């Protein structure tokens, strides 16, 4: 197959602003290339693919970024800026896709989904978030009426946010195991990884660390400075050890030294890449039973799931984290979330999409 991928219109690939989509896109490209498919990626200027993915053709687009939907009101109308990056990416994608089999959209936004109804090119969509906009959900519902196979989701719980989708296509996610080294660091510090933004609930993890009299190591892009300093000021000085945003290789080296990852989302997390990355390094995860994490973590085997917002229970789980065998964590990723497993699911799905257009 020749597949044309549209990246996120928020941040260039490698900036961290696009969140999990950046890693997911790279994993997917690796998996597709290794299955022998040809891949074009349409992405913002300055984007970089992993070295391993240099056989994919990268096409740059310049323009104004979109505002991410998780930071707008649920009922906001769509806004497309002058010189829109998203419009530019869709235009270029459609042009290149004239000679390809399918256009695969990874941006959670209105325009590419709307286009599905208005062009002959098959456009398939990996929906990377729960329902964050009524207008996008309504549009997905409308397009789904005509093209029921064109949407895929990362987890069942995420897909539940779109109740009109009767039998959702679930593709999970994929991780290149070679990029993560197993470490048996049972005595390490507490970790938290994610975009520093309200929907990620950093304050709860800092609370847990503080109650235990420990520091919390925090990795990720600070998306919301005001929120970050509010969280910092709510706890004693230096409870948070800000580690910044690191490349996957650097991140995994540091993350692997930790004894547990705390994951405290306040929204219906679509998947939660950082959970699987921690597991791949042998780091167990304690997470709220909210969204994707509840489908990934095997309670008592690879970490613990606690009721949403139950910080006290999270503290109790940290105290017994040494019961989790770290090699079981790594094993789960190998069996369930490799790039090959992921790419195969995507290819099967895309074949189904293309079949609808015949
Ligand atoms: N990440 C990274 N370096 C860091 C911190 C995070 O590359 O220092 C990446 C991480 O690998 C993951 C992404 O940020 O792929 C966060 O994705 P996740 O699915 O957890 O959440 P999202 O941001 O998509 O809501």
């Amino acid at each position: 197959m020749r597949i044309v991928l549209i990246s996120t219109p928020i941040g260039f690939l490698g900036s961290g602003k696009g969140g999990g989509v950046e890693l997911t896109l790279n994993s997917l490209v690796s998996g597709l290339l290794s299955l022998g498919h040809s891949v074009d990626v349409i992405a913002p200027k300055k984007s970089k693919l992993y070295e391993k993915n240099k056989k994919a053709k990268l096409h740059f687009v310049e323009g104004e970024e979109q505002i991410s939907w998780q930071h707008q009101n649920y009922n906001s109308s769509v806004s497309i800026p002058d010189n829109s990056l998203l419009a530019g990416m869709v235009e270029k994608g459609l042009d290149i896709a004239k000679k390809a089999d399918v256009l695969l959209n990874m941006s959670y936004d209105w325009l590419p989904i709307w286009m599905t109804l208005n062009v002959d090119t098959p456009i398939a969509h990996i929906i990377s978030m729960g329902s964050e906009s009524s207008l996008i959900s309504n549009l997905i519902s409308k397009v789904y009426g005509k093209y029921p196979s064109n949407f895929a989701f990362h987890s069942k719980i995420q897909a539940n946010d779109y109740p009109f989708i009767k039998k959702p296509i679930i593709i999970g996610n994929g991780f290149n195991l070679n990029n993560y080294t197993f470490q048996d660091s049972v005595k390490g510090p507490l970790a938290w990884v994610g975009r520093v933004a309200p929907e990620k609930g950093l304050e709860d993890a800092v609370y847990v660390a503080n109650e235990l009299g420990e520091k919390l190591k925090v990795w990720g892009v600070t998306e919301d400075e005001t929120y970050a300093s509010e969280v910092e000021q709510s706890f004693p000085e230096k409870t948070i050890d800000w580690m910044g945003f690191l490349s996957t290789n650097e991140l995994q080296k540091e993350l692997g030294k930790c004894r547990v990852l705390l994951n405290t989302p306040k929204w219906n997390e679509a998947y939660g890449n950082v959970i699987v990355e921690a597991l791949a390094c042998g780091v167990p995860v304690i997470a709220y039973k909210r969204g994707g994490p509840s489908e990934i973590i095997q309670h008592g085997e690879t970490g613990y799931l606690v009721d949403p917002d139950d910080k006290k229970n999270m503290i109790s789980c940290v105290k017994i984290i040494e019961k989790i065998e770290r090699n079981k964590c790594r094993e789960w990723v190998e069996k369930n979330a490799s790039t090959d497993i992921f790419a195969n699911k995507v290819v099967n799905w895309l074949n189904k999409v293309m079949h609808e257009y015949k």
Side-chain angles (χ1 to χ4, degrees), residues 317-334:
C317 291
V318 175
K319 290 181 181 158
I320 55 162
I321 201 67
E322 73 280 4
K323 288 192 177 170
I324 303 292
E325 288 174 42
R326 291 173 73 102
N327 53 11
K328 290 254 169 70
C329 300
R330 170 84 183 190
E331 233 172 75
W332 183 89
V333 186
E334 285 168 3

Side-chain angles (χ1 to χ4, degrees), residues 19-20 23 193 195 200 220 244-246 251 267 269 273-274 277:
L23 184 117
V193 187
R195 288 176 294 105
K200 294 292 187 175
F245 178 79
L246 302 184
L251 175 66
W267 69 339
E269 188 76 64
N273 283 1
V274 298
E277 295 181 87

Side-chain angles (χ1 to χ4, degrees), residues 33-50:
L33 290 174
S34 86
L35 291 175
H37 300 287
S38 123
V39 183
D40 291 74
V41 176
I42 319 291
K45 200 180 145 194
K46 297 211 309 221
S47 287
K48 279 200 180 104
L49 291 174
Y50 294 171

Side-chain angles (χ1 to χ4, degrees), residues 14 16-24 50 70 128-129 173 175 180 192-195 199-200 218-221 223 243-249 251 263 267 269-275 277:
K17 280 176 74 185
V21 173
E22 297 186 22
L23 184 117
T24 303
Y50 294 171
Q70 71 267 37
S128 60
M129 293 201 263
N173 216 333
F175 299 79
Y180 303 89
W192 188 93
V193 187
R195 288 176 294 105
E199 68 273 16
K200 294 292 187 175
V218 173
W219 286 274
V221 165
E223 209 171 45
M243 305 299 290
F245 178 79
L246 302 184
S247 68
T248 301
N249 183 36
L251 175 66
N263 187 257
W267 69 339
E269 188 76 64
Y271 187 81
N273 283 1
V274 298
I275 292 172
E277 295 181 87

